[in-house]
Each structure stands twice: as C-alpha cells, then as structure tokens.
Amino acid sequence: EVTVSSLTDGRSLTFPTDYPFYTQASFSIVNDSLLFFNRYLGVEEYAMPGSGRPRKLLSGKKISRTFCDRAGSLWFTTLGSGIYRLISDEFRTVQLPENGMGVSAVETITVNRKGDALLVGDSHDAIFALRLRGMELARPALRAAYGSNRILFVHEFEHHRYVAGSDANVSTGTFAGIAGRSFAGGIKSACMVDDNRVLMGAPWGAAIFDLRRMAFTDTLWRGRITVVCHQQDTDYIGTLHGLWRIVKGRPPVFLGERDATLRNRISAMAEAADGVLWIASYDNIVTGYANGKVIATISQKNGLIGNICHCLLLHGRELWIGTDKGLNRIRLDRPGYPISCLTSRDGLSSDVVNSIYAIGSTVFVGTSAGLTYFDETKVQPGDECSLVLTAAISAGRDRIGDTAHLVLPVGENRLRFEYAGISYRSAGDITYRYRMIGLDSAWKETRSDFVDYQVLPPGKYLFQLQAVNKFGISSGLFSLPVQADAPYWQRGWFDALLAAACILSIWLGVTLRIRRIRRRHEERERVAQRMAELESTALQSQMNPHFIFNCLNSIQQYILDHEGLTANKYLTGFARIIRATLHNSSKAFIPLREEIDYLSTYLSLEKLRFKEKMDFTIEPDPGLDTNLYVIPPMLIQPFVENSMRHGLRHKTDGKGRILVRFSHLGNNLVVVVEDNGIGRKRAAGYKTREHIEYQSRGMSLTADRIRLINAKYNKSIQIEVADLEDGAGRPSGTRVTLRFPIFHQILQNEIL
C-alpha cells in the first residue's frame, strides 16, 4: 500500500499498489482536490479525500508528471512519448463494440419506451441499448439485418417491439430476439406521426407505415426523398431539388417557388415548440419557416461551421446542428441568434456529427467515431487566448530587446513583427487585429503570424496587436511605441535653415528685381528724353531755314508777279504744315489719316514751288481704316523729302513723280515711298558738291528715332531701300519700303 498524507490538515489517502519498490512513480496534487498517481503504465486520478473509484488515464504510457493550466485543462508529461493534454473533463465518449467489422459510427439516437436506456443505431446494422446510468450495455447488440448498412431510424413501441429502418430494408421484431418481418427497400429518413404510424421517406418515395398492421398504407409521394418531417396535419418532403409541402386532400406545393433557399437539396428538418420549422440544406444554410414564409436564415456568415448539415435538434430554445466539421449550438432566444461551436478539439469523438439527442441537460452526439455525451450547462465553449511577440526585425536584426521603445535609425525603416497567439482549443484557428496609430488608425485583420511594413515614414507611431481565438475571446492588447528617425533633410532644424535660405533668396530676388525695374524705368526715361530731344531736333530739321526760306521766297515771288490767289494758296498751305508740324511734335503716335494729310500738304507746297514739274500720288488701300491705324509722327516725311531733294531735284528728262502707298500685310502696316528720279548713285554725286549747311540731317535723325522706338516697344520698324531701273538697265528712281508693327494693338495691350 501507498499512503499520502497532508502536512497541513492531516488528511491521508491510502491505495494499494502491486508495483515493486524500484518502479518509477510520482504524485501530483491538482487544485487541492485531485491526486494523480503517475506510473510507468499510466496515471490514476483520485478524488481527495479518497472516495470513489480511481479513474485511469493513458494506459501503457510512462507518465512522469501531471499539472493543470489556468484554463483547467490537464497536462501529462511522459518518458519518451511526448506531452498529452486532456481537453475537457466534461465530455465522455462511448465506443460501440466492433463485432469484427471495424469502428462503428453512430447514425441514430433515441430513448426506449421505459425511458431508462438509449437506443443507438450504428453503421453496421446493429442496435445497441445503453443504460442512461453508467452508459453501459443493457443487453447484447441486436442485429436488425446482416451487412454494413446504416440504421437510420429505430423506435420501440408496445411489448418491447421495435421497428427499424436502414439503407437496405425496414424490419420489425422484439428486443428479446424474436424475429419479425422485413420489408425490402431501405429508407433515407423517418419520423413518428403518432403512436401507431411512422412517416418514412425512401429513394422510391414517401409513405405511412402502420405499426398495428405492420404494413405501408398511404403513399404520399413518388420520387427520391432525402428527409421527411410531420407537423400537425402537414407533411414536409425534402428532395434533391427543394422542399415540398403536402396537406391531406390538397395537391403538393413547392416551397422553393417563393424562396431560393428552399430550392437546394434538403438534408434535415426539425420542428420547434412555437411551430417554426427549421430546415437545413446542403449549401450550409439553415432556414426558419413559419406561416408560409421564411422568417430567418443562418449561414456561415453568422458563424456556422461545416459545409454540410447532417442533422438538427431543437431542445428548449436551442437549435443544435450537426455538420461534417463539428457541432453548432444556436441560441434562438437571443437577438441575432448567437452561435457557439464544439469540435473534436473541445472533446467530441469526431467532427463528423450524424445525429443528436438530448435528455434534460445531457446532450448525446453520434459521430463517426462513437457516442459522445456531455452536460450542456457545464460545457462552456471557449478557451483563454494570450499573445506573445516573438520578433521585431529591422534591417535584418531582431530588435525584440528594444520593445520598450523601438527606435529605427535612418535607412532601417522596414519593420517586421512576428507573433503567436496561444489558444490550445482553437488549434491554430486564430485571427489577429492590428493597427499602426499615426500611419492608419483603422483596425486590420489577418490570419498570418507576421505583419510587414515595407517603408515606415519618419515619425512617431504606436503599434497595437490583439489575438482573437475561434471562440471570439480576445487576448490583452499589446502596444509598442515605434519611432522612425527622419533624415537630416526632413528634420526641424533643416526645415528652419531651408526656410531662412528661401526667405533670403526671395529677398535677394525681390531686391534684384526692384533694381532691374528701376534700371529699366531709368532707361525708359532716358529713351523718352532722347526721343523728345530727337523729336525736337526732327522738328527743327523739318522746319529748317532752307525750307522756310524757299517757301517765303516763293510767296514773295507770287506777290511780286501779282499772283495774289496763288500766293494766298501757298501761304495757306505753308501755315497748315507749320501748324501740323508743331501739333504732331508733341505726340508719340498720330492716326494714319493725319499723317496722310500732312504728307499731302507738304507735297502740294513742293509741287507749287517746282512750277508743276512734278506730280505725286498718295494711295491707301481701299480696305485700310486710316482712323484705326496709328504711327509715330514725322517718320515718313524725311523719306518723301529725300525723294524730292535728291531724286527729283536734278531730274531733267520729263516730269517728276512721287508715289506714297499704304497697305496692311500680315502683322505689319507697309508704307512705300517711290520716285522716278535720278537714283541714289547720281544723287550722291550732286550731294557732295552742295554746301554743308544745306545738307539735310533728317535721315540720320529718323534712323535714331526708329532705333529708340524699337527698343522701347520691343518691336521692329523695318526699312528696305531698292534702286529702280528701266528696261535698258538705267536708273529710273528709288523705292523705300517701311514696315511698321500694328501699333494700335500694342498700345491697347499695354493699357490692359
């Protein structure tokens, strides 16, 4: 015997052992209420203070230690076989005898007529009776048929008789082994209509089986059936293509006509106490149907696990759903129908659930690996969730030691976090929520165990991370301050220096601009002053004493010759040209019309003075608006005077002629002054022999004025001089072409 005593309260526990003294053994006390005897051939659990039979676990394993974690799960360390964990102490599993045909799957569960035993149908044509107390076999297995067919329905009625339906047939008999009848043709589903009638669905259709007559009576449907359900006076027929409703005396109604969720393959149905019919389909959607319409839809979006629903059970206000990936429990009495899930990780013998039955608070689950049962009031689906940061990598270095405050130097702003969520019952089914406050405040979700920031901009951030296990339980919030250093050109002092440099550059630029404007203004003033001087000089040139003397001599001669009318006419023209010269000399521009009048008056005086030996023509183009175009005054007259003085003055053959033509060509006002004089070459010879005081300065002054006007308005007045020749190649005159910019548009733009 081995005796274990408490040093604090004196409690002791004595139990026999047949192992020799040299066998390895140890003791573990859990929660001050359980004692575990760890030995080479397993572990035994004793309830303190030594009442009841011990529970044996891990038979054949060399157990070294036992301990309990914070979630209440038991862990067992072994010698050479690894570590084991007892997921839950609330789940119990009963494996049905194999009978030489392998592990049996539980296909259907019900209770016997007396209510003290479960009737369990397996996948090998066997029916087992298990006592509810102790879950032990009440009698040997009953073979409803011989083969490997699934028992999909079993019911006990009077005198210990039973009716069972399998994939192969429908059979009746007694639990005492007295054979009954067998009907060829298997079933897919069955449900009780009343104490004496069973609604059975088969591949060939649906019919009522009468227990008193032991025969099929009414045939309700012809065609393949997947599941049937009876509700008061209404029968529901599930098919491969949807759900039908049959009311006695009326034709069948296809319910999928109104709702698309009822057009798929129907896999299970169950009726609630409030009359709602819950329907499961192969597309993993569970539909609530009442009063001729769909009132609720539950799918994977709501948290339903599994791809195929195998069975439904309504127990109180809870809907249990068996799938190929576990068991779902839906609370129908709460808003939104919250869903919790149980799988093999929580204690089920398998994730493939074929049938569900409940008695009181005990739920029985038939799986592909046996029968599992548990008290639903003691099972709390869930597990604590914790979070561990395993790495913080920057520039290829793990900075996990700097996680109090992580500072990233310049050029090392790529950051990768690696972490692990710990929730044993979730078995890796963990979702992570993270965000980097300062970069993006919105939460993001991932199932990956790392987060990678390729380029983290300079600044201060707060990285937050949280793990959420499959039960929706969150870990504590992990927070890590992160600072990414900025390069020198992004720091405050550099910004201040750059701002100062910009201000200095602007100040220098403004200063230089002001100086340039002042110089330009001074230059313009000098140009204006020079132009005024030239205009005054031009006035003096045009009003040279030689011209005035000639005019006065002509007037005197007309008076002496008693030609008073001619003298008066000449005097009037002389007065007009003097007045026009004085008037135009004060203006920068005059209309083209006034320039034409001025030239006409001047040429008229010269014509009178030359005694009709010359003639002139002034031709503006017909479409030229002489009131619109403007030109600088006193620029054309010197060229006309030059034609008179040097071209026509020495002409001896024929009458002299001067043509002045105005036209618009492209972006220019074109003025042509043409004469039929002796030409520039012969005129140059006469010019050299003249007294210097008579040589005109008009052309040089005009050239200076044109140069200043071009500089002031940034435009070009162009002058072209061409010598004219007759057919024999002899000089026949001179043509001067002046091209003026459109000055009225230039002046208008300056005003705007």
Side-chain angles (χ1 to χ4, degrees):
E1 292 183 349
V2 176
T3 301
V4 180
S5 301
S6 171
L7 298 178
T8 56
D9 55 11
R11 289 185 301 169
S12 63
L13 176 63
T14 301
F15 48 91
T17 177
D18 53 358
Y19 290 93
F21 67 90
Y22 54 82
T23 300
Q24 187 272 342
S26 66
F27 299 93
S28 302
I29 298 177
V30 175
N31 297 331
D32 204 29
S33 60
L34 295 176
L35 183 141
F36 291 89
F37 187 15
N38 309 307
R39 300 190 294 186
Y40 259 34
L41 298 179
V43 61
E44 294 178 355
E45 177 190 87
Y46 292 87
M48 301 288 284
S51 59
R53 298 173 58 186
R55 183 172 61 157
K56 296 183 179 181
L57 302 170
L58 297 173
S59 297
K61 301 295 181 181
K62 299 178 181 179
I63 309 300
S64 58
R65 292 291 185 274
T66 303
F67 66 94
C68 181
D69 62 20
R70 289 178 297 178
S73 299
L74 293 175
W75 295 79
F76 305 91
T77 61
T78 68
L79 299 177
S81 300
I83 300 176
Y84 289 83
R85 175 174 176 255
L86 180 62
I87 298 175
S88 175
D89 208 25
E90 301 297 334
F91 289 83
R92 297 288 189 271
T93 297
V94 177
Q95 290 186 343
L96 303 178
E98 296 184 7
N99 294 325
M101 303 183 70
V103 177
S104 295
V106 175
E107 301 292 343
T108 184
I109 307 171
T110 187
V111 69
N112 65 352
R113 188 178 181 87
K114 190 176 180 181
D116 61 352
L118 287 181
L119 301 179
V120 178
D122 75 351
S123 56
H124 296 148
D125 269 332
I127 301 173
F128 297 89
L130 301 176
R131 293 188 183 92
L132 289 177
R133 190 169 184 178
M135 295 302 295
E136 297 176 347
L137 285 174
R139 60 177 72 90
L142 176 67
R143 305 294 293 181
Y146 295 96
S148 296
N149 298 299
R150 299 176 301 165
I151 301 297
L152 299 176
F153 174 77
V154 62
H155 175 69
E156 181 184 4
F157 54 103
E158 57 186 10
H159 308 304
H160 302 290
R161 301 171 66 194
Y162 73 88
V163 58
S166 69
D167 290 320
N169 57 27
V170 177
S171 60
T172 62
T174 66
F175 285 104
I178 301 174
R181 300 178 60 185
S182 179
F183 302 87
I187 68 168
K188 293 296 182 181
S189 175
C191 65
M192 298 300 299
V193 176
D194 53 36
D195 292 340
N196 299 309
R197 295 183 299 164
V198 183
L199 173 60
M200 292 188 177
W204 49 265
I208 298 295
F209 185 81
D210 194 318
L211 297 178
R212 290 172 298 187
R213 298 167 58 182
M214 289 295 169
F216 286 99
T217 56
D218 301 331
T219 299
L220 305 179
W221 183 267
R222 295 286 185 182
R224 186 173 180 180
I225 302 294
T226 57
V227 64
V228 295
C229 182
H230 178 79
Q231 187 181 43
Q232 296 179 354
D233 60 345
T234 304
D235 295 310
Y236 292 92
I237 307 297
T239 69
L240 295 175
H241 305 291
L243 183 66
W244 293 77
R245 181 181 63 199
I246 299 177
V247 179
K248 189 174 182 179
R250 299 179 185 177
V253 176
F254 181 52
L255 301 182
E257 190 71 31
R258 293 185 177 181
D259 196 285
T261 60
L262 301 179
R263 298 175 193 168
N264 300 309
R265 178 175 179 174
I266 307 301
S267 58
M269 287 185 283
E271 180 187 3
D274 57 3
V276 178
L277 182 66
W278 291 93
I279 307 151
S281 59
Y282 261 50
D283 58 355
N284 201 32
I285 295 179
V286 177
T287 304
Y289 183 83
N291 300 323
K293 61 181 180 181
V294 173
I295 63 171
T297 300
I298 303 173
S299 65
Q300 286 181 322
K301 294 181 179 179
N302 306 98
L304 199 65
I305 63 170
N307 297 322
I308 300 175
C309 297
H310 292 160
C311 54
L312 297 177
L313 172 68
L314 277 157
H315 184 55
R317 293 299 300 168
E318 293 182 340
L319 176 63
W320 295 83
I321 304 174
T323 72
D324 60 341
K325 292 186 178 180
L327 184 65
N328 299 276
R329 177 168 65 177
I330 303 176
R331 297 296 300 268
L332 300 178
D333 57 344
R334 295 184 181 179
Y337 301 141
I339 300 176
S340 57
C341 306
L342 296 172
T343 66
S344 58
R345 301 185 186 100
D346 301 298
L348 295 181
S349 54
S350 171
D351 287 334
V352 181
V353 178
N354 299 321
S355 58
I356 315 169
Y357 197 80
I359 300 176
S361 62
T362 303
V363 178
F364 300 90
V365 182
T367 73
S368 60
L371 176 68
T372 300
Y373 62 96
F374 57 89
D375 188 339
E376 65 172 322
T377 61
K378 296 181 180 180
V379 172
Q380 299 296 330
D383 189 14
E384 69 173 6
C385 184
S386 58
L387 177 66
V388 177
L389 184 69
T390 58
I393 301 173
S394 172
R397 295 184 297 114
D398 190 356
R399 305 284 299 279
I400 191 67
D402 302 333
T403 51
H405 184 75
L406 185 59
V407 179
L408 305 179
V410 177
E412 299 182 8
N413 54 348
R414 176 175 178 176
L415 184 59
R416 176 187 174 100
F417 292 106
E418 296 179 0
Y419 42 79
I422 302 175
S423 178
Y424 298 111
R425 292 174 61 184
S426 295
D429 187 7
I430 297 178
T431 302
Y432 300 94
R433 302 170 64 243
Y434 69 94
R435 64 179 177 179
M436 183 74 78
I437 298 178
L439 183 66
D440 186 2
S441 59
W443 286 99
K444 297 179 181 179
E445 290 189 356
T446 181
R447 300 183 71 85
S448 177
D449 58 358
F450 69 90
V451 172
D452 198 352
Y453 292 95
Q454 294 290 333
V455 178
L456 198 62
K460 294 183 178 181
Y461 307 95
L462 181 64
F463 178 70
Q464 292 184 329
L465 178 67
Q466 192 173 39
V468 182
N469 65 14
K470 76 168 188 174
F471 306 104
I473 299 174
S474 302
S475 69
L477 183 64
F478 173 80
S479 297
L480 173 62
V482 178
Q483 178 179 333
D485 286 345
Y488 70 89
W489 61 84
Q490 294 183 4
R491 298 189 180 183
W493 63 265
F494 185 81
D495 292 339
L497 181 61
L498 185 62
C502 290
I503 293 173
L504 180 60
S505 300
I506 293 173
W507 179 80
L508 290 175
V510 171
T511 302
L512 293 176
R513 177 67 175 170
I514 292 174
R515 290 181 180 178
R516 190 178 297 112
I517 292 173
R518 286 178 179 175
R519 284 197 301 268
R520 189 179 302 169
H521 180 68
E522 292 173 355
E523 185 177 349
R524 286 182 179 178
E525 288 183 348
R526 287 195 299 270
V527 170
Q529 183 178 1
R530 178 61 178 159
M531 287 187 65
E533 294 174 355
L534 289 175
E535 288 170 357
S536 177
T537 305
L539 174 61
Q540 295 175 6
S541 174
Q542 287 184 314
M543 298 300 296
N544 64 76
H546 179 69
F547 173 73
I548 296 174
F549 179 76
N550 288 338
C551 290
L552 293 177
N553 278 341
S554 297
I555 295 171
Q556 184 182 23
Q557 186 64 41
Y558 286 132
I559 295 174
L560 293 175
D561 292 340
H562 302 286
E563 296 182 16
L565 182 61
T566 303
N568 184 59
K569 183 178 179 181
Y570 199 100
L571 185 61
T572 302
F574 180 70
R576 285 179 59 191
I577 199 169
I578 294 296
R579 183 172 59 250
T581 301
L582 294 174
H583 176 74
N584 293 341
S585 64
S586 63
K587 294 183 178 180
F589 295 93
I590 62 172
L592 183 60
R593 172 182 51 80
E594 295 183 7
E595 183 70 15
I596 293 174
D597 290 343
Y598 182 85
L599 294 175
S600 179
T601 303
Y602 171 75
L603 289 172
S604 297
L605 291 177
E606 294 287 49
K607 182 177 181 181
L608 287 174
R609 191 165 65 88
F610 278 92
K611 305 297 184 179
E612 303 296 332
K613 292 182 179 180
M614 58 84 63
D615 199 359
F616 69 91
T617 303
I618 299 177
E619 294 181 352
D621 277 356
L624 194 65
D625 189 351
T626 58
N627 290 313
L628 177 63
Y629 290 87
V630 295
I631 61 173
M634 297 179 288
L635 283 183
I636 302 176
Q637 187 271 339
F639 294 98
V640 175
E641 179 185 358
N642 198 54
S643 295
M644 288 290 301
R645 186 176 180 83
H646 303 292
L648 301 183
R649 179 180 178 183
H650 302 287
K651 181 177 176 63
T652 57
D653 54 336
K655 191 175 184 179
R657 179 179 56 81
I658 293 179
L659 171 64
V660 182
R661 185 169 59 248
F662 298 89
S663 63
H664 186 126
L665 182 62
N667 293 324
N668 296 103
L669 174 66
V670 180
V671 180
V672 177
V673 179
E674 183 178 322
D675 65 73
N676 61 347
I678 63 175
R680 290 190 295 170
K681 186 174 182 181
R682 288 181 59 193
Y686 289 108
K687 186 176 180 182
T688 57
R689 295 194 295 268
E690 291 180 351
H691 193 275
I692 192 167
E693 65 175 339
Y694 296 112
Q695 293 183 8
S696 175
R697 297 180 58 209
M699 294 304 298
S700 62
L701 293 174
T702 300
D704 291 341
R705 286 189 62 204
I706 289 175
R707 193 160 48 250
L708 291 173
I709 291 173
N710 290 342
K712 180 177 181 181
Y713 295 100
N714 197 24
K715 297 293 181 180
S716 177
I717 300 176
Q718 300 175 359
I719 303 174
E720 298 176 5
V721 181
D723 294 318
L724 303 179
E725 296 178 348
D726 58 11
R730 295 187 297 269
S732 62
T734 305
R735 179 187 298 127
V736 179
T737 303
L738 294 92
R739 300 180 185 274
F740 292 93
I742 308 300
F743 278 109
H744 68 276
Q745 294 182 357
I746 298 173
L747 297 175
Q748 185 179 6
N749 292 335
E750 286 186 354
I751 294 173
L752 294 177

